[in-house]
Amino acid sequence: MSDLTIAMPKGRIFDEALHLLRNANLPIPESFAADSRKLTISLPDAGLSFFLAKPMDVPTYVEYGVADLGVVGKDVLLEESRDVYEILDLKISPCRIAVAGMPDWKPVLYPRVATKYPKIAERYFKEQGQQVEVIYLNGSIELAPIIGLADRIVDIVSTGQTLKENGLVELEQITTVTSRLIANRASYRLKNNLIQSFCDRLTEAVQGSVYA
Ligand SMILES: Nc1ncnc2c1ncn2[C@@H]1O[C@H](COP(=O)(O)OP(=O)(O)OP(=O)(O)O)[C@@H](O)[C@H]1O
Ligand SMILES: O=P(O)(O)OC[C@H]1O[C@H](OP(=O)(O)OP(=O)(O)O)[C@H](O)[C@@H]1O
Protein backbone atom coordinates (compact mmCIF):
# COMPACT_ATOMS: atom_id res chain seq x y z
CA MET A 1 0.00 0.00 0.00
CA SER A 2 1.25 3.49 -0.88
CA ASP A 3 2.01 6.10 1.72
CA LEU A 4 -0.09 8.73 -0.06
CA THR A 5 -2.96 8.27 -2.49
CA ILE A 6 -3.78 11.22 -4.73
CA ALA A 7 -6.97 11.79 -6.75
CA MET A 8 -6.22 13.51 -10.05
CA PRO A 9 -8.83 15.16 -12.28
CA LYS A 10 -9.25 13.90 -15.83
CA GLY A 11 -9.57 16.48 -18.54
CA ARG A 12 -8.27 20.02 -18.79
CA ILE A 13 -6.37 20.19 -15.49
CA PHE A 14 -4.64 16.83 -15.88
CA ASP A 15 -1.76 17.78 -18.21
CA GLU A 16 -0.90 20.93 -16.27
CA ALA A 17 -1.01 19.02 -13.00
CA LEU A 18 1.30 16.31 -14.40
CA HIS A 19 3.70 18.99 -15.59
CA LEU A 20 3.77 20.41 -12.07
CA LEU A 21 4.39 16.97 -10.53
CA ARG A 22 7.28 16.39 -12.93
CA ASN A 23 8.70 19.82 -12.07
CA ALA A 24 8.54 18.71 -8.45
CA ASN A 25 10.92 15.90 -9.50
CA LEU A 26 8.36 13.16 -8.99
CA PRO A 27 9.08 10.16 -11.23
CA ILE A 28 5.83 10.28 -13.24
CA PRO A 29 6.13 7.79 -16.13
CA GLU A 30 5.28 8.77 -19.70
CA SER A 31 2.52 6.16 -19.67
CA PHE A 32 0.55 8.28 -17.17
CA ALA A 33 -0.98 10.50 -19.84
CA ALA A 34 -4.29 12.16 -20.62
CA ASP A 35 -4.94 9.86 -23.58
CA SER A 36 -4.35 6.66 -21.60
CA ARG A 37 -7.39 4.64 -20.45
CA LYS A 38 -5.59 3.44 -17.34
CA LEU A 39 -7.14 5.00 -14.25
CA THR A 40 -4.56 4.13 -11.58
CA ILE A 41 -0.82 4.34 -11.27
CA SER A 42 1.47 3.32 -8.46
CA LEU A 43 4.94 4.74 -7.80
CA PRO A 44 6.16 2.46 -5.00
CA ASP A 45 9.63 4.01 -4.85
CA ALA A 46 8.12 7.45 -4.24
CA GLY A 47 5.45 6.00 -1.90
CA LEU A 48 2.71 7.49 -4.06
CA SER A 49 -0.29 6.20 -5.94
CA PHE A 50 -2.60 8.19 -8.15
CA PHE A 51 -6.04 7.62 -9.59
CA LEU A 52 -7.90 9.53 -12.27
CA ALA A 53 -11.41 10.77 -11.53
CA LYS A 54 -14.01 13.14 -12.95
CA PRO A 55 -13.09 16.63 -11.69
CA MET A 56 -16.42 17.10 -9.88
CA ASP A 57 -15.86 13.82 -7.98
CA VAL A 58 -12.36 14.57 -6.66
CA PRO A 59 -13.52 16.26 -3.40
CA THR A 60 -15.85 13.31 -2.73
CA TYR A 61 -12.98 10.78 -2.89
CA VAL A 62 -10.89 13.00 -0.62
CA GLU A 63 -13.66 13.65 1.91
CA TYR A 64 -14.32 9.90 2.23
CA GLY A 65 -10.59 9.23 2.69
CA VAL A 66 -10.03 6.88 -0.27
CA ALA A 67 -7.59 9.57 -1.41
CA ASP A 68 -5.39 11.45 1.05
CA LEU A 69 -4.92 14.31 -1.40
CA GLY A 70 -6.62 15.60 -4.53
CA VAL A 71 -6.16 18.16 -7.28
CA VAL A 72 -9.27 20.11 -8.19
CA GLY A 73 -10.52 23.46 -9.49
CA LYS A 74 -11.66 26.04 -6.97
CA ASP A 75 -14.95 26.15 -8.90
CA VAL A 76 -15.63 22.54 -7.91
CA LEU A 77 -14.72 23.24 -4.27
CA LEU A 78 -17.14 26.18 -4.19
CA GLU A 79 -19.89 24.11 -5.79
CA GLU A 80 -19.40 20.88 -3.85
CA SER A 81 -18.66 22.34 -0.35
CA ARG A 82 -16.99 19.10 0.75
CA ASP A 83 -15.40 18.73 4.18
CA VAL A 84 -11.74 18.81 3.07
CA TYR A 85 -8.71 21.03 3.69
CA GLU A 86 -7.55 23.24 0.86
CA ILE A 87 -3.79 23.25 1.37
CA LEU A 88 -2.15 24.78 -1.70
CA ASP A 89 -3.03 27.01 -4.66
CA LEU A 90 -1.38 25.23 -7.59
CA LYS A 91 -1.98 28.30 -9.80
CA ILE A 92 -2.76 26.10 -12.83
CA SER A 93 -5.80 26.05 -15.17
CA PRO A 94 -6.79 29.65 -14.41
CA CYS A 95 -10.25 30.82 -15.40
CA ARG A 96 -13.16 32.70 -13.82
CA ILE A 97 -16.80 32.13 -13.05
CA ALA A 98 -18.95 34.85 -14.54
CA VAL A 99 -22.49 35.91 -15.26
CA ALA A 100 -23.07 36.36 -18.99
CA GLY A 101 -25.96 37.13 -21.28
CA MET A 102 -27.03 38.66 -24.55
CA PRO A 103 -25.71 42.20 -25.07
CA ASP A 104 -29.29 43.55 -25.22
CA TRP A 105 -30.22 41.78 -21.98
CA LYS A 106 -32.79 43.71 -19.95
CA PRO A 107 -33.52 43.23 -16.24
CA VAL A 108 -36.62 41.16 -15.51
CA LEU A 109 -38.28 40.53 -12.16
CA TYR A 110 -37.47 36.83 -11.82
CA PRO A 111 -34.75 35.98 -14.37
CA ARG A 112 -33.88 32.44 -15.34
CA VAL A 113 -30.20 31.57 -14.97
CA ALA A 114 -28.78 28.47 -16.66
CA THR A 115 -25.64 26.92 -15.18
CA LYS A 116 -23.57 23.86 -14.40
CA TYR A 117 -22.92 25.51 -10.99
CA PRO A 118 -26.35 25.79 -9.32
CA LYS A 119 -25.07 26.32 -5.77
CA ILE A 120 -22.57 29.02 -6.76
CA ALA A 121 -25.27 30.76 -8.80
CA GLU A 122 -27.91 30.54 -6.01
CA ARG A 123 -25.43 31.89 -3.46
CA TYR A 124 -24.24 34.72 -5.70
CA PHE A 125 -27.69 36.04 -6.60
CA LYS A 126 -28.87 35.68 -2.99
CA GLU A 127 -25.92 37.83 -1.88
CA GLN A 128 -26.94 40.35 -4.54
CA GLY A 129 -30.47 40.33 -3.10
CA GLN A 130 -31.82 39.14 -6.45
CA GLN A 131 -34.43 36.43 -6.86
CA VAL A 132 -33.66 34.13 -9.78
CA GLU A 133 -34.73 30.74 -11.06
CA VAL A 134 -31.64 28.58 -11.47
CA ILE A 135 -31.83 25.95 -14.23
CA TYR A 136 -29.21 23.20 -14.09
CA LEU A 137 -27.57 22.13 -17.37
CA ASN A 138 -24.70 19.67 -17.90
CA GLY A 139 -22.89 21.70 -20.56
CA SER A 140 -23.18 23.94 -23.64
CA ILE A 141 -24.47 26.55 -21.20
CA GLU A 142 -24.02 29.36 -23.76
CA LEU A 143 -26.92 27.89 -25.75
CA ALA A 144 -29.46 28.77 -23.07
CA PRO A 145 -29.84 32.54 -23.72
CA ILE A 146 -29.58 32.06 -27.49
CA ILE A 147 -32.47 29.63 -27.71
CA GLY A 148 -34.55 31.34 -25.01
CA LEU A 149 -34.20 28.88 -22.14
CA ALA A 150 -32.62 31.45 -19.80
CA ASP A 151 -32.04 35.18 -19.48
CA ARG A 152 -28.51 34.80 -18.19
CA ILE A 153 -25.89 32.13 -17.56
CA VAL A 154 -23.32 31.48 -14.86
CA ASP A 155 -20.36 29.67 -16.38
CA ILE A 156 -16.60 29.35 -16.64
CA VAL A 157 -14.88 31.91 -18.85
CA SER A 158 -11.27 31.41 -19.82
CA THR A 159 -10.28 32.96 -23.15
CA GLY A 160 -13.78 34.39 -23.67
CA GLN A 161 -13.91 32.73 -27.10
CA THR A 162 -17.05 30.69 -26.43
CA LEU A 163 -18.97 33.78 -25.28
CA LYS A 164 -17.73 35.78 -28.27
CA GLU A 165 -18.52 33.12 -30.85
CA ASN A 166 -22.05 32.87 -29.49
CA GLY A 167 -22.67 36.61 -29.34
CA LEU A 168 -22.78 36.77 -25.54
CA VAL A 169 -21.09 39.24 -23.20
CA GLU A 170 -19.63 38.88 -19.73
CA LEU A 171 -21.78 40.91 -17.31
CA GLU A 172 -20.31 40.26 -13.85
CA GLN A 173 -17.36 38.28 -12.54
CA ILE A 174 -18.26 36.07 -9.58
CA THR A 175 -14.80 34.75 -8.71
CA THR A 176 -11.43 33.78 -10.15
CA VAL A 177 -10.51 30.10 -10.27
CA THR A 178 -7.28 28.08 -10.17
CA SER A 179 -6.66 24.45 -9.24
CA ARG A 180 -5.98 23.56 -5.62
CA LEU A 181 -4.37 20.74 -3.68
CA ILE A 182 -6.84 19.42 -1.11
CA ALA A 183 -6.37 16.99 1.78
CA ASN A 184 -8.53 14.60 3.73
CA ARG A 185 -8.90 15.90 7.30
CA ALA A 186 -7.82 12.70 9.04
CA SER A 187 -4.92 12.11 6.62
CA TYR A 188 -3.76 15.66 7.24
CA ARG A 189 -3.36 14.83 10.93
CA LEU A 190 -2.16 11.22 10.68
CA LYS A 191 0.16 11.64 7.69
CA ASN A 192 1.17 15.22 8.35
CA ASN A 193 4.90 14.79 7.69
CA LEU A 194 4.32 13.01 4.37
CA ILE A 195 1.71 15.52 3.26
CA GLN A 196 3.85 18.45 4.34
CA SER A 197 6.88 17.25 2.41
CA PHE A 198 4.75 16.52 -0.70
CA CYS A 199 3.22 19.98 -0.35
CA ASP A 200 6.68 21.61 0.04
CA ARG A 201 7.90 19.97 -3.17
CA LEU A 202 4.84 21.17 -5.03
CA THR A 203 5.14 24.66 -3.54
CA GLU A 204 8.63 24.93 -4.99
CA ALA A 205 7.40 23.68 -8.36
CA VAL A 206 4.53 26.21 -8.29
CA GLN A 207 6.93 29.03 -7.46
CA GLY A 208 9.25 27.80 -10.23
CA SER A 209 6.40 27.91 -12.77
CA VAL A 210 5.08 31.27 -11.59
CA TYR A 211 8.51 32.95 -11.81
CA ALA A 212 9.70 31.03 -14.90
N1 LIG B 1 -12.21 27.02 -20.19
C1 LIG B 1 -12.50 26.23 -19.17
N2 LIG B 1 -13.68 25.63 -19.11
C2 LIG B 1 -13.98 24.78 -18.11
N3 LIG B 1 -13.15 24.50 -17.08
C3 LIG B 1 -11.95 25.10 -17.08
C4 LIG B 1 -11.57 25.98 -18.12
N4 LIG B 1 -10.33 26.40 -17.86
C5 LIG B 1 -9.95 25.81 -16.72
N5 LIG B 1 -10.93 25.04 -16.22
C6 LIG B 1 -10.84 24.19 -15.02
O1 LIG B 1 -10.97 22.84 -15.48
C7 LIG B 1 -11.98 22.15 -14.78
C8 LIG B 1 -12.88 21.38 -15.71
O2 LIG B 1 -12.14 20.53 -16.48
P1 LIG B 1 -12.89 19.71 -17.60
O3 LIG B 1 -13.58 20.64 -18.55
O4 LIG B 1 -11.91 18.76 -18.13
O5 LIG B 1 -13.95 18.92 -16.70
P2 LIG B 1 -15.50 18.73 -16.79
O6 LIG B 1 -16.16 20.07 -16.98
O7 LIG B 1 -15.95 17.93 -15.63
O8 LIG B 1 -15.55 17.91 -18.08
P3 LIG B 1 -16.75 17.28 -18.81
O9 LIG B 1 -16.79 18.10 -20.08
O10 LIG B 1 -16.29 15.87 -18.97
O11 LIG B 1 -17.98 17.44 -17.95
C9 LIG B 1 -12.82 23.16 -14.06
O12 LIG B 1 -13.22 22.64 -12.82
C10 LIG B 1 -11.93 24.40 -13.96
O13 LIG B 1 -11.33 24.45 -12.69
O1 LIG C 1 -13.71 31.17 -22.41
P1 LIG C 1 -13.39 29.91 -23.14
O2 LIG C 1 -11.90 29.72 -23.30
O3 LIG C 1 -14.10 29.81 -24.45
O4 LIG C 1 -13.83 28.67 -22.22
C1 LIG C 1 -15.09 28.62 -21.62
C2 LIG C 1 -15.91 27.49 -22.10
O5 LIG C 1 -15.27 26.23 -21.78
C3 LIG C 1 -16.15 25.45 -21.00
O6 LIG C 1 -16.92 24.60 -21.75
P2 LIG C 1 -16.46 23.13 -22.14
O7 LIG C 1 -15.46 23.21 -23.25
O8 LIG C 1 -16.00 22.42 -20.90
O9 LIG C 1 -17.74 22.49 -22.72
P3 LIG C 1 -19.18 22.29 -22.07
O10 LIG C 1 -19.99 23.38 -22.68
O11 LIG C 1 -19.59 20.95 -22.51
O12 LIG C 1 -19.10 22.42 -20.56
C4 LIG C 1 -17.05 26.46 -20.31
O13 LIG C 1 -18.26 25.87 -19.86
C5 LIG C 1 -17.25 27.48 -21.40
O14 LIG C 1 -18.26 27.09 -22.28
Side-chain angles (χ1 to χ4, degrees):
M1 200 173 133
S2 293
D3 300 330
L4 285 178
T5 300
I6 301 157
M8 296 281 285
K10 287 180 179 180
R12 280 187 166 89
I13 300 173
F14 185 72
D15 276 338
E16 281 189 73
L18 274 194
H19 189 69
L20 205 56
L21 293 173
R22 291 199 173 105
N23 282 349
N25 291 323
L26 291 164
I28 309 291
E30 288 303 319
S31 59
F32 197 35
D35 56 359
S36 159
R37 298 294 301 159
K38 192 163 161 54
L39 297 177
T40 58
I41 185 167
S42 187
L43 306 178
D45 293 345
L48 299 174
S49 66
F50 296 86
F51 64 82
L52 262 174
K54 288 289 276 184
M56 282 277 189
D57 295 336
V58 166
T60 310
Y61 292 112
V62 174
E63 183 183 279
Y64 281 88
V66 289
D68 302 299
L69 297 171
V71 172
V72 68
K74 180 71 180 177
D75 51 323
V76 173
L77 292 175
L78 292 170
E79 183 63 24
E80 291 290 307
S81 304
R82 289 283 174 184
D83 189 17
V84 294
Y85 289 129
E86 184 185 314
I87 56 176
L88 181 63
D89 183 351
L90 299 171
K91 300 199 163 95
I92 56 172
S93 301
C95 53
R96 54 195 184 273
I97 302 177
V99 182
M102 304 293 270
D104 59 356
W105 172 82
K106 292 197 181 55
V108 290
L109 193 58
Y110 192 48
R112 284 175 165 179
V113 177
T115 186
K116 198 173 171 175
Y117 298 96
K119 291 184 193 140
I120 293 174
E122 295 273 7
R123 217 181 299 139
Y124 176 73
F125 287 107
K126 198 169 171 200
E127 279 164 16
Q128 305 289 308
Q130 226 186 315
Q131 269 205 313
V132 298
E133 179 185 353
V134 171
I135 301 173
Y136 176 79
L137 291 177
N138 282 295
S140 299
I141 313 296
E142 290 81 359
L143 259 183
I146 301 172
I147 59 169
L149 176 67
D151 303 281
R152 281 184 279 173
I153 60 170
V154 165
D155 198 15
I156 295 273
V157 181
S158 176
T159 61
Q161 193 186 343
T162 312
L163 289 181
K164 196 168 166 215
E165 287 193 17
N166 290 290
L168 302 178
V169 290
E170 192 171 336
L171 300 167
E172 294 149 47
Q173 181 176 302
I174 298 181
T175 185
T176 54
V177 168
T178 48
S179 299
R180 310 297 162 104
L181 182 68
I182 58 172
N184 171 267
R185 286 179 176 267
S187 303
Y188 193 73
R189 268 202 324 277
L190 300 171
K191 300 185 179 182
N192 191 267
N193 288 346
L194 283 174
I195 290 180
Q196 206 50 60
S197 69
F198 183 81
C199 200
D200 289 346
R201 286 174 84 156
L202 276 187
T203 303
E204 268 184 46
V206 171
Q207 282 166 353
S209 330
V210 170
Y211 299 116

PDB file of all heavy atoms in Angstrom, residues 8 14 20 29-30 37 46 69 74 76 80 100 113 120-121 133 155 171 184 196:
ATOM      1  N   MET A   8      -6.540  12.529  -9.004  1.00  0.00           N
ATOM      2  CA  MET A   8      -6.218  13.509 -10.049  1.00  0.00           C
ATOM      3  C   MET A   8      -7.436  13.705 -10.950  1.00  0.00           C
ATOM      4  O   MET A   8      -8.131  12.733 -11.274  1.00  0.00           O
ATOM      5  CB  MET A   8      -5.068  12.982 -10.916  1.00  0.00           C
ATOM      6  CG  MET A   8      -3.778  12.800 -10.165  1.00  0.00           C
ATOM      7  SD  MET A   8      -2.936  14.354  -9.945  1.00  0.00           S
ATOM      8  CE  MET A   8      -2.293  14.608 -11.581  1.00  0.00           C
ATOM      9  N   PHE A  14      -5.553  17.965 -16.031  1.00  0.00           N
ATOM     10  CA  PHE A  14      -4.642  16.834 -15.876  1.00  0.00           C
ATOM     11  C   PHE A  14      -3.223  17.110 -16.386  1.00  0.00           C
ATOM     12  O   PHE A  14      -2.240  16.906 -15.664  1.00  0.00           O
ATOM     13  CB  PHE A  14      -5.236  15.600 -16.563  1.00  0.00           C
ATOM     14  CG  PHE A  14      -4.423  14.359 -16.363  1.00  0.00           C
ATOM     15  CD1 PHE A  14      -4.380  13.729 -15.133  1.00  0.00           C
ATOM     16  CD2 PHE A  14      -3.687  13.819 -17.409  1.00  0.00           C
ATOM     17  CE1 PHE A  14      -3.622  12.578 -14.945  1.00  0.00           C
ATOM     18  CE2 PHE A  14      -2.936  12.669 -17.227  1.00  0.00           C
ATOM     19  CZ  PHE A  14      -2.903  12.048 -15.996  1.00  0.00           C
ATOM     20  N   LEU A  20       3.358  19.912 -13.386  1.00  0.00           N
ATOM     21  CA  LEU A  20       3.769  20.408 -12.069  1.00  0.00           C
ATOM     22  C   LEU A  20       4.426  19.289 -11.241  1.00  0.00           C
ATOM     23  O   LEU A  20       5.454  19.491 -10.595  1.00  0.00           O
ATOM     24  CB  LEU A  20       2.521  20.935 -11.352  1.00  0.00           C
ATOM     25  CG  LEU A  20       2.690  21.983 -10.281  1.00  0.00           C
ATOM     26  CD1 LEU A  20       3.428  23.194 -10.797  1.00  0.00           C
ATOM     27  CD2 LEU A  20       1.306  22.403  -9.772  1.00  0.00           C
ATOM     28  N   PRO A  29       5.777   8.406 -14.859  1.00  0.00           N
ATOM     29  CA  PRO A  29       6.130   7.786 -16.133  1.00  0.00           C
ATOM     30  C   PRO A  29       5.346   8.379 -17.302  1.00  0.00           C
ATOM     31  O   PRO A  29       4.254   8.920 -17.109  1.00  0.00           O
ATOM     32  CB  PRO A  29       5.764   6.312 -15.921  1.00  0.00           C
ATOM     33  CG  PRO A  29       4.802   6.302 -14.805  1.00  0.00           C
ATOM     34  CD  PRO A  29       5.027   7.522 -13.973  1.00  0.00           C
ATOM     35  N   GLU A  30       5.928   8.258 -18.488  1.00  0.00           N
ATOM     36  CA  GLU A  30       5.284   8.774 -19.698  1.00  0.00           C
ATOM     37  C   GLU A  30       3.919   8.118 -19.930  1.00  0.00           C
ATOM     38  O   GLU A  30       3.023   8.709 -20.516  1.00  0.00           O
ATOM     39  CB  GLU A  30       6.176   8.517 -20.931  1.00  0.00           C
ATOM     40  CG  GLU A  30       7.413   9.405 -20.970  1.00  0.00           C
ATOM     41  CD  GLU A  30       7.093  10.891 -20.927  1.00  0.00           C
ATOM     42  OE1 GLU A  30       6.135  11.311 -21.602  1.00  0.00           O
ATOM     43  OE2 GLU A  30       7.787  11.625 -20.189  1.00  0.00           O
ATOM     44  N   ARG A  37      -6.112   5.055 -21.070  1.00  0.00           N
ATOM     45  CA  ARG A  37      -7.386   4.643 -20.455  1.00  0.00           C
ATOM     46  C   ARG A  37      -7.149   4.073 -19.055  1.00  0.00           C
ATOM     47  O   ARG A  37      -8.082   3.675 -18.380  1.00  0.00           O
ATOM     48  CB  ARG A  37      -8.090   3.582 -21.323  1.00  0.00           C
ATOM     49  CG  ARG A  37      -8.464   4.041 -22.716  1.00  0.00           C
ATOM     50  CD  ARG A  37      -9.515   5.132 -22.711  1.00  0.00           C
ATOM     51  NE  ARG A  37     -10.755   4.722 -22.067  1.00  0.00           N
ATOM     52  CZ  ARG A  37     -11.664   5.562 -21.574  1.00  0.00           C
ATOM     53  NH1 ARG A  37     -11.468   6.848 -21.627  1.00  0.00           N
ATOM     54  NH2 ARG A  37     -12.772   5.104 -21.027  1.00  0.00           N
ATOM     55  N   ALA A  46       8.425   6.117  -4.780  1.00  0.00           N
ATOM     56  CA  ALA A  46       8.118   7.446  -4.238  1.00  0.00           C
ATOM     57  C   ALA A  46       7.057   7.360  -3.139  1.00  0.00           C
ATOM     58  O   ALA A  46       6.720   8.367  -2.508  1.00  0.00           O
ATOM     59  CB  ALA A  46       7.640   8.364  -5.360  1.00  0.00           C
ATOM     60  N   LEU A  69      -5.051  12.996  -0.780  1.00  0.00           N
ATOM     61  CA  LEU A  69      -4.921  14.309  -1.403  1.00  0.00           C
ATOM     62  C   LEU A  69      -5.680  14.316  -2.723  1.00  0.00           C
ATOM     63  O   LEU A  69      -5.979  13.247  -3.274  1.00  0.00           O
ATOM     64  CB  LEU A  69      -3.442  14.614  -1.698  1.00  0.00           C
ATOM     65  CG  LEU A  69      -2.492  14.719  -0.505  1.00  0.00           C
ATOM     66  CD1 LEU A  69      -1.044  14.805  -0.997  1.00  0.00           C
ATOM     67  CD2 LEU A  69      -2.826  15.932   0.354  1.00  0.00           C
ATOM     68  N   LYS A  74     -10.963  25.332  -8.046  1.00  0.00           N
ATOM     69  CA  LYS A  74     -11.658  26.045  -6.966  1.00  0.00           C
ATOM     70  C   LYS A  74     -13.162  26.113  -7.254  1.00  0.00           C
ATOM     71  O   LYS A  74     -13.988  26.134  -6.340  1.00  0.00           O
ATOM     72  CB  LYS A  74     -11.067  27.459  -6.847  1.00  0.00           C
ATOM     73  CG  LYS A  74     -11.681  28.326  -5.770  1.00  0.00           C
ATOM     74  CD  LYS A  74     -11.297  27.879  -4.377  1.00  0.00           C
ATOM     75  CE  LYS A  74     -11.935  28.771  -3.321  1.00  0.00           C
ATOM     76  NZ  LYS A  74     -11.637  28.321  -1.952  1.00  0.00           N
ATOM     77  N   VAL A  76     -15.019  23.772  -8.428  1.00  0.00           N
ATOM     78  CA  VAL A  76     -15.626  22.536  -7.911  1.00  0.00           C
ATOM     79  C   VAL A  76     -15.716  22.592  -6.380  1.00  0.00           C
ATOM     80  O   VAL A  76     -16.724  22.194  -5.791  1.00  0.00           O
ATOM     81  CB  VAL A  76     -14.824  21.303  -8.389  1.00  0.00           C
ATOM     82  CG1 VAL A  76     -15.331  20.034  -7.738  1.00  0.00           C
ATOM     83  CG2 VAL A  76     -14.888  21.188  -9.907  1.00  0.00           C
ATOM     84  N   GLU A  80     -19.174  22.140  -4.574  1.00  0.00           N
ATOM     85  CA  GLU A  80     -19.403  20.885  -3.847  1.00  0.00           C
ATOM     86  C   GLU A  80     -19.403  21.047  -2.331  1.00  0.00           C
ATOM     87  O   GLU A  80     -19.972  20.219  -1.617  1.00  0.00           O
ATOM     88  CB  GLU A  80     -18.344  19.852  -4.242  1.00  0.00           C
ATOM     89  CG  GLU A  80     -18.491  19.349  -5.671  1.00  0.00           C
ATOM     90  CD  GLU A  80     -19.718  18.467  -5.844  1.00  0.00           C
ATOM     91  OE1 GLU A  80     -19.868  17.504  -5.084  1.00  0.00           O
ATOM     92  OE2 GLU A  80     -20.546  18.771  -6.724  1.00  0.00           O
ATOM     93  N   ALA A 100     -23.105  35.856 -17.608  1.00  0.00           N
ATOM     94  CA  ALA A 100     -23.073  36.361 -18.985  1.00  0.00           C
ATOM     95  C   ALA A 100     -24.480  36.352 -19.558  1.00  0.00           C
ATOM     96  O   ALA A 100     -25.392  35.711 -19.010  1.00  0.00           O
ATOM     97  CB  ALA A 100     -22.145  35.507 -19.837  1.00  0.00           C
ATOM     98  N   VAL A 113     -31.655  31.649 -14.829  1.00  0.00           N
ATOM     99  CA  VAL A 113     -30.201  31.572 -14.965  1.00  0.00           C
ATOM    100  C   VAL A 113     -29.811  30.117 -15.209  1.00  0.00           C
ATOM    101  O   VAL A 113     -30.061  29.260 -14.364  1.00  0.00           O
ATOM    102  CB  VAL A 113     -29.506  32.086 -13.674  1.00  0.00           C
ATOM    103  CG1 VAL A 113     -28.004  31.940 -13.788  1.00  0.00           C
ATOM    104  CG2 VAL A 113     -29.893  33.532 -13.392  1.00  0.00           C
ATOM    105  N   ILE A 120     -23.309  27.748  -6.648  1.00  0.00           N
ATOM    106  CA  ILE A 120     -22.570  29.016  -6.756  1.00  0.00           C
ATOM    107  C   ILE A 120     -23.519  30.109  -7.254  1.00  0.00           C
ATOM    108  O   ILE A 120     -23.527  31.229  -6.738  1.00  0.00           O
ATOM    109  CB  ILE A 120     -21.363  28.859  -7.722  1.00  0.00           C
ATOM    110  CG1 ILE A 120     -20.334  27.906  -7.097  1.00  0.00           C
ATOM    111  CG2 ILE A 120     -20.751  30.211  -8.057  1.00  0.00           C
ATOM    112  CD1 ILE A 120     -19.171  27.544  -8.007  1.00  0.00           C
ATOM    113  N   ALA A 121     -24.349  29.768  -8.232  1.00  0.00           N
ATOM    114  CA  ALA A 121     -25.273  30.757  -8.799  1.00  0.00           C
ATOM    115  C   ALA A 121     -26.299  31.200  -7.747  1.00  0.00           C
ATOM    116  O   ALA A 121     -26.517  32.396  -7.536  1.00  0.00           O
ATOM    117  CB  ALA A 121     -25.965  30.185 -10.025  1.00  0.00           C
ATOM    118  N   GLU A 133     -34.442  32.166 -10.940  1.00  0.00           N
ATOM    119  CA  GLU A 133     -34.727  30.743 -11.056  1.00  0.00           C
ATOM    120  C   GLU A 133     -33.502  30.095 -11.692  1.00  0.00           C
ATOM    121  O   GLU A 133     -33.144  30.437 -12.828  1.00  0.00           O
ATOM    122  CB  GLU A 133     -35.960  30.513 -11.944  1.00  0.00           C
ATOM    123  CG  GLU A 133     -36.289  29.042 -12.108  1.00  0.00           C
ATOM    124  CD  GLU A 133     -37.443  28.782 -13.087  1.00  0.00           C
ATOM    125  OE1 GLU A 133     -38.065  29.772 -13.534  1.00  0.00           O
ATOM    126  OE2 GLU A 133     -37.698  27.619 -13.400  1.00  0.00           O
ATOM    127  N   ASP A 155     -21.225  30.710 -15.817  1.00  0.00           N
ATOM    128  CA  ASP A 155     -20.356  29.670 -16.383  1.00  0.00           C
ATOM    129  C   ASP A 155     -18.895  30.082 -16.271  1.00  0.00           C
ATOM    130  O   ASP A 155     -18.577  31.234 -15.937  1.00  0.00           O
ATOM    131  CB  ASP A 155     -20.734  29.433 -17.863  1.00  0.00           C
ATOM    132  CG  ASP A 155     -20.207  28.101 -18.387  1.00  0.00           C
ATOM    133  OD1 ASP A 155     -19.812  27.248 -17.573  1.00  0.00           O
ATOM    134  OD2 ASP A 155     -20.181  27.913 -19.621  1.00  0.00           O
ATOM    135  N   LEU A 171     -21.098  39.817 -18.013  1.00  0.00           N
ATOM    136  CA  LEU A 171     -21.776  40.914 -17.315  1.00  0.00           C
ATOM    137  C   LEU A 171     -21.161  41.172 -15.939  1.00  0.00           C
ATOM    138  O   LEU A 171     -20.966  42.313 -15.540  1.00  0.00           O
ATOM    139  CB  LEU A 171     -23.269  40.591 -17.164  1.00  0.00           C
ATOM    140  CG  LEU A 171     -24.040  40.369 -18.476  1.00  0.00           C
ATOM    141  CD1 LEU A 171     -25.405  39.752 -18.224  1.00  0.00           C
ATOM    142  CD2 LEU A 171     -24.189  41.683 -19.233  1.00  0.00           C
ATOM    143  N   ASN A 184      -7.570  15.195   2.801  1.00  0.00           N
ATOM    144  CA  ASN A 184      -8.530  14.598   3.729  1.00  0.00           C
ATOM    145  C   ASN A 184      -8.165  15.051   5.154  1.00  0.00           C
ATOM    146  O   ASN A 184      -6.986  15.119   5.510  1.00  0.00           O
ATOM    147  CB  ASN A 184      -8.453  13.072   3.603  1.00  0.00           C
ATOM    148  CG  ASN A 184      -9.246  12.371   4.681  1.00  0.00           C
ATOM    149  OD1 ASN A 184      -8.708  12.029   5.732  1.00  0.00           O
ATOM    150  ND2 ASN A 184     -10.527  12.156   4.436  1.00  0.00           N
ATOM    151  N   GLN A 196       3.091  17.192   4.307  1.00  0.00           N
ATOM    152  CA  GLN A 196       3.848  18.446   4.344  1.00  0.00           C
ATOM    153  C   GLN A 196       5.016  18.409   3.357  1.00  0.00           C
ATOM    154  O   GLN A 196       5.251  19.373   2.625  1.00  0.00           O
ATOM    155  CB  GLN A 196       4.347  18.697   5.777  1.00  0.00           C
ATOM    156  CG  GLN A 196       4.579  20.171   6.089  1.00  0.00           C
ATOM    157  CD  GLN A 196       3.388  21.050   5.722  1.00  0.00           C
ATOM    158  OE1 GLN A 196       2.295  20.853   6.237  1.00  0.00           O
ATOM    159  NE2 GLN A 196       3.570  21.996   4.804  1.00  0.00           N
TER     160      GLN A 196
END
